[in-house]
Amino acid sequence: MPRPLTLKTIEIFASVQGEGLRQGEPTIFIRLAGCNLRCGFCDTKRAWRGGRETSVDKIMDEVRRLRNDYPTTWVCLTGGEPLAQNVRPLVKRLHSEGFRVQVETNGTFPPDPQADWHSVSPKPPDYSVHPGFKKKAREVKLVVCRSIGLDDVRTVRAMFPSTVPVILQPRSNSRWSIDKAVRLLEGAGRAGLENIRLSVQLHKVYGLR
Ligand code: SF4
């Protein structure tokens, strides 16, 4: 008998998408374990390792259960780095049950060909991403960390079509990072960089997960 398809999961929960263009929309999150990077500012370090081997059937049971209490058709695969695991069978199952799938990724693995929405967040020091995201990214999020500068924003802006917004996201909504985001936005404007925006982590403002 073939082994059931499994993924290493940290948690599955319902909340509101607090980041990016989908900000404010009810969403079911599947947090997958493991990440190939080690960002100093990471706010999900607990997802770097470990996780529970969970069959796609079990994940779907939990998603359905949450959906009964929480009306949404959106499921967000997050992490850790969700694309470090083979999410294709899960994306297929989610689609077959009428869900839309967002993937929050650092962009270092190839995009999932079937996912409906890729939120790409390139990371320092080089901010490089897989070339497939040039076509697949719906939005680009940049954490406004201590090291980021206008040259980094310029580099990332040049990696994607100008129709894809580059969203400056203050680190954990902290004051210094918000102030820096404003300075970067102004600098980007003076440098003629298109479609750069400000954001906050809305779920943290509301005290949600
Ligand atoms: S890529 Fe994301 S999950 Fe991985 S270490 Fe960096 S911030 Fe954390």
Side-chain angles (χ1 to χ4, degrees):
M1 207 161 136
R3 281 183 57 208
L5 291 165
T6 64
L7 289 164
K8 277 193 172 175
T9 62
I10 298 289
E11 58 184 350
I12 303 172
F13 61 98
S15 186
V16 165
Q17 175 54 272
E19 301 180 355
L21 297 177
R22 292 198 50 254
Q23 196 176 62
E25 286 191 78
T27 301
I28 295 169
F29 291 84
I30 302 172
R31 189 182 305 287
L32 296 170
C35 187
N36 56 320
L37 302 184
R38 291 290 181 267
C39 307
F41 53 75
C42 182
D43 59 3
T44 52
K45 288 179 178 153
R46 64 202 162 85
W48 283 359
R49 55 182 69 85
R52 179 182 305 203
E53 289 284 356
T54 315
S55 70
V56 170
D57 286 340
K58 274 218 159 117
I59 294 173
M60 291 306 302
D61 286 348
E62 186 61 8
V63 168
R64 275 186 231 106
R65 188 187 69 75
L66 288 165
R67 189 197 207 173
N68 287 338
D69 299 335
Y70 212 77
T72 182
T73 57
W74 275 106
V75 171
C76 179
L77 308 185
T78 190
E81 171 46 54
L83 296 178
Q85 299 187 62
N86 178 14
V87 298
R88 284 189 192 189
L90 176 60
V91 173
K92 205 170 160 194
R93 283 288 295 279
L94 287 162
H95 278 161
S96 74
E97 299 198 22
F99 290 98
R100 291 174 287 175
V101 181
Q102 178 179 15
V103 179
E104 293 182 327
T105 175
N106 61 31
T108 54
F109 292 90
D112 180 89
Q114 302 301 327
D116 303 281
W117 188 296
H118 285 94
S119 301
V120 187
S121 185
K123 295 296 191 281
D126 59 1
Y127 292 91
S128 64
V129 300
H130 186 279
F133 285 106
K134 192 162 186 165
K135 277 195 174 159
K136 283 288 189 178
R138 287 289 294 271
E139 59 187 350
V140 177
K141 296 183 294 185
L142 276 181
V143 177
V144 181
C145 58
R146 295 279 182 192
S147 67
I148 194 170
L150 189 56
D151 282 346
D152 299 314
V153 179
R154 188 183 281 108
T155 297
V156 171
R157 178 65 284 172
M159 285 158 50
F160 299 91
S162 62
T163 49
V164 177
V166 172
I167 301 169
L168 302 175
Q169 186 169 285
R171 179 180 171 183
S172 297
N173 297 344
S174 57
R175 188 69 248 172
W176 67 266
S177 186
I178 289 172
D179 292 343
K180 185 170 182 179
V182 173
R183 288 197 299 276
L184 286 172
L185 181 77
E186 291 170 351
R190 283 192 292 271
L193 305 184
E194 290 181 74
N195 209 355
I196 313 287
R197 306 183 188 186
L198 295 181
S199 187
V200 291
Q201 289 179 295
L202 190 71
H203 54 298
K204 292 186 180 171
V205 174
Y206 276 78
L208 301 170
R209 288 171 90 178

